[in-house]
Amino acid sequence: MKINRILSIVLFLMCQISFGQTSTGKLLHGKIRVDSAYISGINILNLVNEKTAATNSDGEFFILAKANY
């Protein structure tokens, strides 16, 4: 019985560690402000994971970001 409890705890901790390392990133929200009236369609590039996004008519964008370690 004691071995089953220890094995269960070790298995639980290993699952926590493995899932903790697979973070895909967070969705970053931003807004571009310029003097020009045409701010929709501006391309944003995340150099770390090479993801791109484009601004909407208000200059807002969403892009997947991940910390660079």
Side-chain angles (χ1 to χ4, degrees), residues 8-62:
S8 296
I9 291 172
V10 169
L11 183 63
F12 174 75
L13 291 175
M14 288 182 68
C15 289
Q16 290 296 323
I17 291 170
S18 66
F19 284 117
Q21 299 299 319
T22 59
S23 176
T24 59
K26 293 187 177 188
L27 195 60
L28 178 70
H29 174 254
K31 185 170 185 175
I32 294 178
R33 295 182 184 180
V34 293
D35 292 334
S36 173
Y38 301 105
I39 56 175
S40 67
I42 297 174
N43 292 321
I44 293 93
L45 171 65
N46 184 340
L47 295 174
V48 174
N49 60 5
E50 298 180 354
K51 299 287 184 184
T52 60
T55 59
N56 63 13
S57 61
D58 295 326
E60 299 175 332
F61 65 93
F62 294 93

